[in-house]
Amino acid sequence: MTQITITGRRPLRGQVRAAGAKNAALPILASTLLGGGDCQVTNLPLVRDVATMNTLLGLLGATVKQDRNQVVINTDTVQSLEAPYDLVKTMRASVLVLGPLLARFGEAVVSLPGGCAIGQRPVNLHLDGLKKLGATIELEHGYIRAHASGLKGERIDLETPTVTGTENLMMAACLAKGTTIINNAAMEPEIEDLAKFLNRRGANVSGAGSSHIVIEGVTKLQETEYSVMPDRIETGTYLIAGMVTGGDVEVSDCIPGHLDLLTSKLRESGAEVLETPNSVRVKAPKRIQALDVQTFPYPGFPTDLQAQMMAMMCVADGTSVITENVFEGRFLHVSELQRMGASITVDGSRAVVKGVSQLTGAPVMASDLRASAGLILAGLAAEGDTHITRVYHLERGYERMEDKLQGLGALVKREPSSV
């Protein structure tokens, strides 16, 4: 077991490059199952979730050849149609192989998913949509067993926007006969990136990135090359890191338009924000001003940046209110921030944060991927040393975070844990 140790109170300064988006890479990798030939995917983030997806594709029989940030996948050799529990339990996004396997091979057996403990995220919307396309679904011994003699296009009205559900249904519909319409679709940029990849392969997807997606089914997909979009959550995390340390941080190779609501909030808190077509720079104020934040599905404020914003509000001037509207279990980091001297009161989905003049370093434990990033940001702002355990959560979604922070001037290191 390892831990990350941070010696805080050092302003971060400099430039850091955004890695490829984990949440775009995962469905793109899963979608290679829709057709044969070689698909080369570049700008992959070197994170555990991507490694897990590539392992899953290999278990299914695909040939996976990765060289650092790029991979070539050939699914002509797929023999197994089962995604086992031992792998799926470690990463919820493994369920994304369900739609592609069913559409191409007419059958799929996928374990019910696991992942971060941040609230209930049932897959019933995935399954209901696949049934509309003509699939027969059975739940048996913790597994989804899906069969279809041929999917047919249909109108699917999602009860609530679901990112992985929208992606699963969009992928399955690519090989369905006729037209599929997904209404109330999730609108995240990662869904649009998946659609671009699919269309490069010969699919006919329009409207991705909006709440109304139309897919005209095709008979087969071709091989292609594609570069994954930049990670907007990683970009936002480093910008907030600059804020909590009173620093000056620029993130390059990003898409500023994906973070309009975040940069608006940072300006509201007193930051100077400078943007180019592919970079964002944030200069922190002398004292961060308190502000209120509500998370919503895109284009609302990202739930994946809530923990990081809470860390920032812990050292703001005044009282902030953070409302979590996406996942009901996403305040697990609050008790750890309180160990560092934060003043936070939770009432259901609302957290009232009274800014303090100083956080203090302490031993803390990460509960999920984004909570671990929030604790690292708090450690950067704290006096003394902060020791963060269970950092395997961080490795699921951030590429070489300690190295990137060191490049900005942070005193951070990975070392054996005493726990």
Side-chain angles (χ1 to χ4, degrees):
M1 296 288 287
T2 62
Q3 67 182 19
I4 289 179
T5 297
I6 301 167
T7 302
R9 300 288 290 172
R10 290 175 63 90
L12 300 189
R13 303 189 187 281
Q15 184 183 88
V16 61
R17 178 187 176 275
K22 172 186 81 83
N23 290 339
L26 297 178
I28 286 172
L29 293 172
S31 76
T32 61
L33 293 165
L34 284 167
D38 288 343
C39 284
Q40 180 175 339
V41 183
T42 61
N43 199 36
L44 283 177
L46 297 176
V47 297
R48 183 176 293 185
D49 277 8
V50 167
T52 300
M53 182 61 78
N54 283 338
T55 298
L56 175 55
L57 294 174
L59 284 176
L60 296 174
T63 302
V64 180
K65 298 179 180 179
Q66 184 166 359
D67 181 12
R68 293 197 58 77
N69 297 93
Q70 68 177 26
V71 66
V72 177
I73 298 173
N74 187 299
T75 61
D76 290 334
T77 53
V78 168
Q79 296 176 332
S80 172
L81 303 179
E82 179 175 332
Y85 169 73
D86 285 346
L87 200 61
V88 177
K89 71 179 180 180
T90 67
M91 185 184 71
R92 175 181 172 78
S94 301
V95 77
L96 288 167
V97 303
L98 175 61
L101 286 176
L102 181 64
R104 182 178 170 194
F105 299 101
E107 183 180 347
V109 180
V110 179
S111 171
L112 289 167
C116 284
I118 58 172
Q120 296 299 312
R121 295 182 286 177
V123 296
N124 62 297
L125 298 181
H126 305 228
L127 306 186
D128 291 344
L130 291 173
K131 289 177 183 178
K132 281 221 165 188
L133 296 178
T136 300
I137 306 286
E138 296 178 348
L139 298 180
E140 185 178 77
H141 304 299
Y143 278 81
I144 303 164
R145 299 183 181 274
H147 302 268
S149 57
L151 299 178
K152 295 182 180 180
E154 185 58 83
R155 171 176 168 152
I156 301 172
D157 297 309
L158 293 174
E159 181 180 331
T160 59
T162 160
V163 176
T164 53
T166 298
E167 292 165 342
N168 237 336
L169 296 173
M170 188 168 74
M171 289 186 285
C174 285
L175 297 182
K177 186 176 181 179
T179 303
T180 298
I181 298 173
I182 304 176
N183 287 319
N184 199 26
M187 298 187 289
E188 274 70 5
E190 294 79 8
I191 294 173
E192 187 175 2
D193 208 42
L194 170 62
K196 290 178 180 177
F197 175 73
L198 293 171
N199 288 341
R200 284 278 290 271
R201 299 193 68 190
N204 189 349
V205 181
S206 60
S210 75
S211 62
H212 180 82
I213 301 176
V214 179
I215 306 103
E216 301 287 347
V218 298
T219 56
K220 64 181 296 185
L221 297 183
Q222 62 199 25
E223 59 186 17
T224 193
E225 297 180 5
Y226 192 77
S227 179
V228 175
M229 63 174 272
D231 195 317
R232 62 193 173 97
I233 303 302
E234 186 195 42
T235 298
T237 299
Y238 288 117
L239 295 176
I240 300 171
M243 288 289 290
V244 300
T245 61
D248 180 350
V249 171
E250 180 179 14
V251 182
S252 64
D253 294 340
C254 66
I255 302 176
H258 288 168
L259 289 162
D260 283 345
L261 200 48
L262 171 65
T263 51
S264 174
K265 286 294 181 181
L266 294 182
R267 288 187 177 98
E268 184 182 339
S269 68
E272 181 182 357
V273 181
L274 306 172
E275 297 182 11
T276 73
N278 63 357
S279 72
V280 181
R281 180 181 178 185
V282 167
K283 298 180 180 181
K286 290 184 178 180
R287 184 73 193 272
I288 297 167
Q289 298 302 305
L291 50 81
D292 295 343
V293 173
Q294 293 196 54
T295 66
F296 286 105
Y298 192 86
F301 192 90
T303 180
D304 281 353
L305 287 175
Q306 178 255 106
Q308 299 89 312
M309 283 295 282
M310 183 178 289
M312 187 178 96
M313 292 300 95
C314 287
V315 293
D317 183 16
T319 299
S320 306
V321 177
I322 298 177
T323 307
E324 175 56 59
N325 293 305
V326 180
F327 293 124
E328 74 279 4
R330 211 163 202 183
F331 283 150
L332 297 178
H333 46 279
V334 167
S335 59
E336 303 302 293
L337 291 171
Q338 289 170 335
R339 287 173 50 79
M340 301 177 69
S343 176
I344 307 170
T345 304
V346 175
D347 181 13
S349 63
R350 297 171 71 251
V352 178
V353 184
K354 295 181 179 179
V356 297
S357 59
Q358 183 64 67
L359 294 175
T360 56
V364 293
M365 182 176 66
S367 58
D368 61 75
L369 169 57
R370 306 306 175 183
S372 61
L375 293 176
I376 284 180
L377 267 57
L380 292 170
E383 183 70 37
D385 290 346
T386 298
H387 306 282
I388 304 169
T389 56
R390 295 177 66 180
V391 294
Y392 55 83
H393 287 297
L394 187 76
E395 295 161 356
R396 288 187 50 221
Y398 288 93
E399 177 183 301
R400 301 183 300 103
M401 189 175 196
E402 61 266 38
D403 293 343
K404 291 185 176 183
L405 289 173
Q406 287 170 3
L408 295 171
L411 284 179
V412 53
K413 60 183 177 181
R414 186 179 293 258
E415 58 187 6
S417 171
S418 59
V419 178

